[in-house]
Amino acid sequence: MIRLHHCPQTRSMRTLWLLYELEVTFEVVLHAFDRSLRASEYLTLSPAGRVPALEIDGERMFETGAITEYLCERFPGANMGRGPSDPDRMAWLVWVHFAETISQHVAALTQQHVMLYEDSMRSPVVMKLEAARLGKCYDALEARLSTPVENRDYLLTSGFSAADVSVGQAVYMARHFRTLDDHPAVSDWYDRITDRDAFRKSLPDAAGARLYAQEFYPAWETDD
Ligand SMILES: N[C@@H](CCC(=O)N[C@@H](CS)C(=O)NCC(=O)O)C(=O)O
């Protein structure tokens, strides 16, 4: 039995997308993105009260990157991972975990724009700084994806993998705060990897709960 604990539009969507790519049977437990993640019962699944949490093989896992590595090793058939002897192993690890670098900035921006509901709590400086840092992450992806090698349709030379799912889902969240307009190779890649059934299935239901009420959250402009 595989059971994913999920909040729509958060990092757990990365695991959801991957599970669909792996074509395994699983169930999803939806959680509200609120203090209920700190309930003692949920803390037995994820000790810091975060999503994703995964129940699998009679165990409980947390940390998206670890879950990605484990699932790709456990279900190698879909070729979403790259094993220790694969020439793309190093790049696979790097890009799977680069998703977390992007996600840190998204988390800061989500806190600023979505979670802090009173204007006096928010900081235009933090909003601008974190959006700029997202831009640096996009620059890193643009450089990778515009490197002229055969088959640079995906992050790895060897083709689509969980690296694209991981970074792609991080960019899905990041686009709420910074567009891909200045990054044409990233934009083309993003369109390519999200034109997949597994991605579409990982999106929130039209009428269901979502973290982002808006498609885009512009940084505040201050008068001074
Ligand atoms: N490094 C962890 C971060 C997990 C994380 O912070 N998840 C966010 C959602 S994107 C969360 O659960 N936040 C709830 C909270 O901070 O209260 C991972 O990759 O699993």
Side-chain angles (χ1 to χ4, degrees):
M1 185 276 298
I2 301 175
R3 184 180 292 140
L4 173 66
H5 295 265
H6 174 52
C7 295
Q9 299 185 300
T10 70
R11 286 174 180 89
S12 57
M13 180 184 160
R14 200 169 300 165
T15 309
L16 186 59
W17 180 0
L18 179 61
L19 285 165
Y20 282 124
E21 293 286 356
L22 294 172
E23 296 184 346
V24 294
T25 303
F26 63 94
E27 48 189 77
V28 175
V29 180
L30 275 181
H31 293 268
F33 194 71
D34 60 19
R35 294 291 300 170
S36 62
L37 295 178
R38 302 291 188 274
S40 53
E41 194 185 342
Y42 187 75
L43 294 179
T44 66
L45 293 158
S46 173
R50 308 293 169 90
V51 284
L54 191 72
E55 296 178 71
I56 182 167
D57 294 336
E59 301 283 350
R60 295 165 170 210
M61 283 194 84
F62 52 96
E63 285 299 326
T64 325
I67 290 171
T68 299
E69 289 196 44
Y70 186 79
L71 285 175
C72 291
E73 286 166 17
R74 178 77 172 71
F75 303 104
N79 197 33
M80 295 299 288
R82 297 294 184 271
S85 60
D86 192 296
D88 261 340
R89 170 68 170 178
M90 192 188 286
W92 185 82
L93 286 169
V94 165
W95 292 108
V96 162
H97 292 284
F98 187 68
E100 186 56 23
T101 298
I102 300 173
S103 303
Q104 285 177 53
H105 304 308
V106 172
L109 285 159
T110 302
Q111 187 177 63
Q112 286 290 319
H113 288 270
V114 180
M115 309 310 287
L116 298 179
Y117 46 87
E118 281 189 25
D119 286 353
S120 61
M121 299 170 165
R122 299 173 166 161
S123 161
V125 175
V126 173
M127 288 177 177
K128 272 193 177 168
L129 183 66
E130 291 295 334
R133 284 155 71 81
L134 268 189
K136 290 290 170 207
C137 294
Y138 289 177
D139 290 348
L141 292 173
E142 187 73 16
R144 174 70 177 180
L145 290 162
S146 37
T147 307
V149 293
E150 203 180 322
N151 189 2
R152 187 50 85 226
D153 284 350
Y154 302 108
L155 285 169
L156 303 186
T157 313
S158 54
F160 184 75
S161 75
D164 297 294
V165 171
S166 300
V167 178
Q169 193 280 333
V171 170
Y172 164 83
M173 296 192 297
R175 285 168 67 256
H176 290 89
F177 305 106
R178 183 152 189 150
T179 72
L180 298 177
D181 291 350
D182 299 334
H183 297 85
V186 183
S187 181
D188 288 351
W189 161 84
Y190 182 78
D191 289 347
R192 190 176 308 121
I193 63 163
T194 54
D195 187 19
R196 299 176 69 87
D197 280 347
F199 171 77
R200 283 186 278 272
K201 286 189 213 162
S202 72
L203 290 168
D205 292 339
R210 53 181 56 226
L211 178 55
Y212 302 115
Q214 292 171 214
E215 289 284 310
F216 187 73
Y217 295 83
W220 277 5
E221 295 299 333
T222 47
D223 295 336
D224 42 34

